[in-house]
Amino acid sequence: MKKGLIAKKIGMTQLFDDNGKVIPVTVVEAGPCTVVQKKTVETDGYEAIQVGFGDVKVTRVNKPEAGHFKKADVAPQKVLKEFRLEDMSNYNVGDTLKADVFAVGDRVDVVGTSKGKGTAGSIKRWNFSRLKESHGTGPVGRHAGSLGACSDPSRVYKGKKLAGHLGSERVTIQNLDVVKVDAENNLIAIKGAIPGPKGGIVVLADTVKCSK
């Protein structure tokens, strides 16, 4: 990984390219992110930097966290993430990473938590088809229907697609284009949709796929 940031999802809008073509984009507030800790092979067994995003009051963190931030001499942060970057010598505790880490034309992977939708039926959760609404199907046509089990194995296999909890899980969207970077306001416009609600925390990193 060459670069990464923690960001907050602002919402979606649209931009126009030089040819007047509409580009749907998601705007995120990327940074400023503060380097809270630098991990080394000698002390931790691997190299990485711990980055914080979003200042919070000291009263909002517990004592171990407060001591961690005090040791680094940085303000308490709301979110902490680790990045294993290639050139660790360029970063020190207290450094600030801003939106200009990325540039227009970069390809990024975005990791976030999808919207939680509670308990959902098999049609909404797995895109099942409805049952027939005639010929004795019954009062409800959105049941899952037969599960296919009989006297052998006399049970439902694990992993069967059924009704249950939907959303609120880690989702990664790969290979998205950076359309615009507003370094002054720490805003980045990313082509397409990214997971999570408005105000949700996401992690941006250069894509693991081949970029153009």
Side-chain angles (χ1 to χ4, degrees):
M1 185 187 301
K2 296 180 181 179
K3 46 194 175 182
L5 281 177
I6 308 171
K8 180 173 71 173
K9 181 177 177 179
I10 303 298
M12 292 198 69
T13 184
Q14 60 187 24
L15 299 175
F16 295 88
D17 63 11
D18 296 335
N19 298 321
K21 184 179 179 181
V22 175
I23 304 175
V25 298
T26 303
V27 180
V28 297
E29 181 185 349
C33 296
T34 306
V35 178
V36 178
Q37 185 181 12
K38 186 174 181 179
K39 300 198 173 184
T40 62
V41 176
E42 293 76 15
T43 57
D44 303 281
Y46 64 98
E47 287 189 338
I49 56 171
Q50 187 184 72
V51 176
F53 172 74
D55 292 344
V56 294
K57 296 179 180 179
V58 179
T59 55
R60 294 290 184 179
V61 297
N62 56 36
K63 286 185 177 181
E65 290 174 337
H68 182 62
F69 294 121
K70 185 177 181 181
K71 180 180 179 180
D73 194 23
V74 298
Q77 304 291 299
K78 184 177 183 180
V79 182
L80 293 175
K81 296 288 182 182
E82 277 191 12
F83 294 96
R84 297 193 184 188
L85 307 179
E86 291 180 357
D87 190 0
M88 300 298 302
S89 61
N90 294 332
Y91 303 94
N92 295 300
V93 174
D95 289 352
T96 301
L97 309 179
K98 297 185 177 181
D100 55 8
V101 168
F102 293 97
V104 175
D106 287 349
R107 292 279 183 94
V108 295
D109 292 344
V110 182
V111 182
T113 302
S114 62
K115 291 182 179 179
K117 300 180 180 179
T119 302
S122 57
I123 292 180
K124 181 176 181 180
R125 191 182 186 200
W126 300 112
N127 199 29
F128 279 15
S129 299
R130 290 175 61 96
L131 302 179
K132 294 180 180 179
E133 297 186 47
S134 60
H135 300 285
T137 296
V140 180
R142 293 178 65 92
H143 284 172
S146 173
L147 299 180
C150 56
S151 59
D152 181 24
S154 299
R155 63 186 176 86
V156 177
Y157 286 115
K158 290 183 179 181
K160 189 75 172 177
K161 292 181 178 179
L162 298 170
H165 186 265
L166 176 61
S168 190
E169 61 184 2
R170 178 187 171 98
V171 177
T172 301
I173 307 295
Q174 292 184 320
N175 219 24
L176 298 178
D177 288 316
V178 174
V179 178
K180 186 176 181 179
V181 176
D182 185 351
E184 184 178 350
N185 297 306
N186 282 311
L187 299 178
I188 297 178
I190 302 170
K191 184 177 180 179
I194 64 175
K198 294 179 182 178
I201 299 297
V202 296
V203 176
L204 310 181
D206 51 325
T207 183
V208 297
K209 294 184 176 180
C210 295
S211 59
K212 59 183 179 180

